[in-house]
Amino acid sequence: MSEIKEVIINNDRLATDEYLVNMGPQHPSTHGVLRLLVKLEGEKVLNVQPHSGYIHSGIEKMCEAISYPQIIHLTDRMDYLSAHMNNEAVALCVEKALQVEVPDRVKYIRTIMDELSRLASHQLWWCVFGMDLGALTTFFYGLRDRELILDIFEETCGARMTVSYNTPGGLMADIHPNFQKRVKDYLKYFKTKLPEYDKLLSGNVILKERTEGIGYLTKEDAIEYGVTGPSGRASGFSCDVRKHVPYSAYPFVKFNEILDHRCDTYARYEVRIKEMYESISIIEQLIDNIPAGDYAVKMKGVLKLPEGEFYQRVESARGEFGVFIVSDGKKNPYRLKFRSPGFSNLFALNKMATGHKIADLVAIMSTLDLIIPDIDR
Amino acid sequence: MTNEELKAYLTERFPEAEIKTGPQYVEMTVVNSSLLETANQLKTEKETSFDYLFCLTGVDYPQNMGIIYHLESLEHRHTMVLKVKTADRVNPAVDTVSSVWVTAKYHEREVYDLLGVRFNNHTDLRRVFLDDDWGHPLRKDYVDEVRIVER
């Protein structure tokens, strides 16, 4: 009898021990090479320390040695799901510095491509989110629809993900003659499929149990940590760059900034689903009205930016993406900084996950929608 | 506030600072010793209330290191640039503003990693991306041994 009692006491002592576990860098839920050093008490998360840099590629250093049109091709490789927005940020920044006004046709096409990228990105996020929580079907649904957008990209840009479609002064090439028809066909198709996403996952009891009230991030914290994009907007932080500092064709369209004040994982889920509806509506407003004209303005062979500092903000699928160019008048930048949304979003993870179970950590990380090359650059 | 109003207000409020209008934003340069106080005032005072730090950049200038803060006020929706320059280029150090904007804590770690700028009173100044024995690659005198950048 006394022996058994001894064992129970030991068990108690074991249960209260804190221990450190490395999650990653090859963990499936980190969606790439990210390591989280998690301090646990049983299954309860006490602290999360993200360790990044496994795929740091020194893009900012590389940019100092190459010309502005070349830089655009590097930006694809950061946040590969928002490749078009990243391209556009650099193109807009260079155009702003050189005081070039692009034709309306370019603005319209850029915005349509932005929103198609956002759709594709949110679709991929949705299918991976389901998979992180153990729902495999979402993966097939999401990828099925995303492939069709990538087909449209391929036809017009020649690439499926690393599009590099923008260039300072406009676009690399005009849209494919089929482009408008295909986009309209796609929207018609996807509008019947998007309610299925809701049917499959949004109202699911297991999903709600796993997400509601989990990973709370207050509006104040979202601002303090600079958490932008759908993750920030789910905390009620009005941070949509498309709305507040409009660029390209966003001033010409009507759309809502999706805000949610529930601040939890489910809110972040729902904001993205609603954003897909908004993206569809933006594309529908533009697709039939693409003005005729040139797809690019004639630029000099070698672009030299005037001396000074130029900043351009755009809304990528993950949040606010910024390009900051310090120019000394040469053909390559003196210093170029990318403000990547993922970097700021990642470090709010500790705030959100502390006190929850380790399985919730996976769900929280999934709703932050991290892309690791975007963080490591 | 518009850029002109903001410039007029800042000129009156911070007479010691150097203020000019850049291509886009009002730029204010302060000395290192008054950085933390200025940052605090910019954030807490009602007229400016710059509560959102959206970008923090380190730049290696020929004589010194510059830290550039891009600030936005969510209430007034105005934007400005705050700048500080270190006294020394080889062993640069500035005060941390992570007590004012939490996100600065992580962006400062990145600047420390890539440029070697030390942030005084930073609670957790570790490198973000690179190994401890690596140099500071964004410095202009960094030797690119494997020639990945300059071919």
Side-chain angles (χ1 to χ4, degrees):
Chain A
M1 233 5 228
S2 64
E3 240 183 272
I4 294 168
K5 204 178 172 190
E6 182 70 29
V7 171
I8 291 168
I9 290 167
N10 274 342
N11 264 347
D12 278 357
R13 200 174 298 143
L14 271 175
T16 54
D17 269 357
E18 291 171 5
Y19 49 99
L20 290 168
V21 176
N22 271 317
M23 199 168 140
Q26 300 293 342
H27 194 275
S29 76
T30 55
H31 303 182
V33 274
L34 171 72
R35 178 163 65 95
L36 301 177
L37 188 58
V38 190
K39 196 178 185 187
L40 295 169
E41 185 192 326
E43 273 202 54
K44 202 171 129 196
V45 177
L46 297 179
N47 189 298
V48 188
Q49 286 290 332
H51 288 253
S52 54
Y54 287 90
I55 39 171
H56 175 64
S57 47
I59 282 180
E60 288 175 10
K61 182 75 180 172
M62 275 191 257
C63 288
E64 290 176 11
I66 58 177
S67 67
Y68 294 104
Q70 287 172 317
I71 288 171
I72 289 186
H73 299 272
L74 282 183
T75 57
D76 286 333
R77 274 80 187 167
M78 290 193 298
D79 181 355
Y80 45 80
L81 295 181
S82 309
H84 192 269
M85 290 86 138
N86 297 358
N87 293 169
E88 193 182 358
V90 178
L92 287 170
C93 199
V94 173
E95 284 156 15
K96 186 188 282 174
L98 293 171
Q99 293 174 334
V100 174
E101 180 70 25
V102 295
D104 274 357
R105 185 178 178 80
V106 176
K107 292 182 185 171
Y108 274 63
I109 297 171
R110 276 180 179 172
T111 308
I112 293 168
M113 295 297 261
D114 273 350
E115 293 307 317
L116 282 176
S117 305
R118 198 181 316 278
L119 271 180
S121 172
H122 283 3
Q123 283 164 352
L124 186 75
W125 161 80
W126 181 78
C127 61
V128 176
F129 176 68
M131 220 168 58
D132 280 343
L133 296 181
L136 195 65
T137 318
T138 61
F139 195 75
F140 303 118
Y141 275 55
L143 281 192
R144 174 197 64 194
D145 300 338
R146 177 170 169 266
E147 281 301 301
L148 300 171
I149 294 185
L150 298 190
D151 287 343
I152 296 172
F153 282 172
E154 190 178 15
E155 198 176 52
T156 286
C157 319
R160 293 172 76 80
M161 284 171 79
T162 50
V163 286
S164 295
Y165 188 45
N166 282 285
T167 179
L171 306 165
M172 286 280 183
D174 207 351
I175 47 172
H176 192 273
N178 281 343
F179 179 77
Q180 276 159 297
K181 185 181 173 296
R182 279 193 85 161
V183 171
K184 277 189 279 187
D185 285 350
Y186 178 74
L187 291 185
K188 211 168 130 195
Y189 160 82
F190 188 56
K191 274 204 287 198
T192 63
K193 296 296 175 194
L194 193 48
E196 282 185 11
Y197 286 29
D198 278 333
K199 234 184 252 173
L200 191 63
L201 206 57
S202 303
N204 188 295
V205 182
I206 303 171
L207 177 101
K208 287 204 158 182
E209 288 285 319
R210 288 283 306 269
T211 52
E212 276 181 336
I214 303 288
Y216 201 78
L217 184 76
T218 61
K219 184 183 175 186
E220 288 70 32
D221 281 336
I223 298 167
E224 280 289 311
Y225 281 87
V227 178
T228 51
S231 316
R233 288 194 282 280
S235 294
F237 171 22
S238 168
C239 57
D240 198 331
V241 180
R242 295 175 292 172
K243 206 85 188 166
H244 298 298
V245 200
Y247 54 95
S248 291
Y250 287 112
F252 312 142
V253 290
K254 279 202 185 100
F255 66 100
N256 297 322
E257 181 182 10
I258 309 291
L259 285 177
D260 204 310
H261 298 277
R262 283 172 293 173
C263 311
D264 59 0
T265 308
Y266 189 72
R268 289 189 284 278
Y269 170 87
E270 216 172 76
V271 165
R272 285 197 178 84
I273 293 283
K274 284 182 182 162
E275 274 195 3
M276 285 202 252
Y277 286 101
E278 288 301 317
S279 293
I280 292 174
S281 138
I282 294 173
I283 301 171
E284 278 178 337
Q285 291 173 51
L286 295 172
I287 191 73
D288 278 325
N289 307 319
I290 301 177
D294 288 335
Y295 61 84
V297 288
K298 187 109 180 77
M299 302 285 274
K300 281 185 191 151
V302 179
L303 295 179
K304 286 182 181 174
L305 258 56
E307 244 175 83
E309 293 164 3
F310 307 95
Y311 196 95
Q312 176 66 43
R313 309 162 76 175
V314 299
E315 181 76 19
S316 90
R318 255 142 288 277
E320 178 174 340
F321 180 81
V323 178
F324 181 47
I325 297 176
V326 182
S327 168
D328 57 353
K330 296 209 182 72
K331 69 176 168 52
N332 38 14
Y334 182 77
R335 169 87 168 91
L336 192 143
K337 155 99 182 172
F338 293 116
R339 189 268 187 219
S340 65
F343 186 82
S344 299
N345 292 5
L346 169 69
F347 287 101
L349 187 60
N350 184 28
K351 191 89 194 167
M352 294 151 92
T354 306
H356 291 297
K357 297 280 186 289
I358 194 157
D360 298 330
L361 175 62
V362 174
I364 293 166
M365 200 160 55
S366 198
T367 48
L368 279 179
D369 197 11
L370 302 171
I371 296 288
I372 310 305
D374 178 43
I375 297 164
D376 286 359
R377 281 162 288 142
Chain B
M1 278 191 261
T2 62
N3 272 356
E4 289 77 39
E5 285 165 3
L6 189 62
K7 191 183 175 190
Y9 175 80
L10 291 173
T11 314
E12 200 190 316
R13 181 68 186 80
F14 303 100
E16 287 100 54
E18 184 192 317
I19 297 166
K20 63 174 182 136
T21 314
Q24 286 164 274
Y25 307 127
V26 179
E27 297 172 2
M28 180 162 99
T29 310
V30 294
V31 290
N32 192 5
S33 55
S34 66
L35 171 70
L36 190 59
E37 201 194 338
T38 312
N40 232 327
Q41 285 162 344
L42 284 174
K43 188 190 174 188
T44 49
E45 283 173 14
K46 260 182 81 83
E47 290 81 3
T48 44
S49 82
F50 285 106
D51 47 1
Y52 172 37
L53 173 75
F54 62 89
C55 190
L56 195 160
T57 316
V59 186
D60 182 5
Y61 292 115
Q63 309 300 326
N64 46 33
M65 296 274 180
I67 312 291
I68 300 171
Y69 308 83
H70 284 81
L71 307 171
E72 188 181 12
S73 159
L74 299 174
E75 192 192 335
H76 307 293
R77 288 286 167 194
H78 52 213
T79 313
M80 72 167 284
V81 181
L82 180 67
K83 290 181 180 183
V84 63
K85 283 182 177 170
T86 61
D88 184 5
R89 197 190 151 272
V90 183
N91 289 310
V94 291
D95 286 343
T96 176
V97 294
S98 53
S99 55
V100 186
W101 300 285
V102 178
T103 182
K105 192 171 164 185
Y106 308 101
H107 288 267
E108 282 172 353
R109 274 178 66 187
E110 188 191 321
V111 174
Y112 167 64
D113 191 358
L114 302 178
L115 281 153
V117 179
R118 294 200 73 83
F119 289 89
N120 305 329
N121 305 325
H122 194 290
T123 49
D124 185 24
L125 199 62
R126 288 176 293 127
R127 305 191 71 152
V128 173
F129 300 137
L130 299 171
D131 277 348
D132 288 340
D133 53 354
W134 205 282
H136 300 294
L138 282 181
R139 286 198 180 191
K140 293 287 174 188
D141 53 8
Y142 175 75
V143 183
D144 176 21
E145 275 167 0
V146 287
R147 303 190 67 75
I148 192 166
V149 178
E150 305 266 355
R151 282 168 205 278

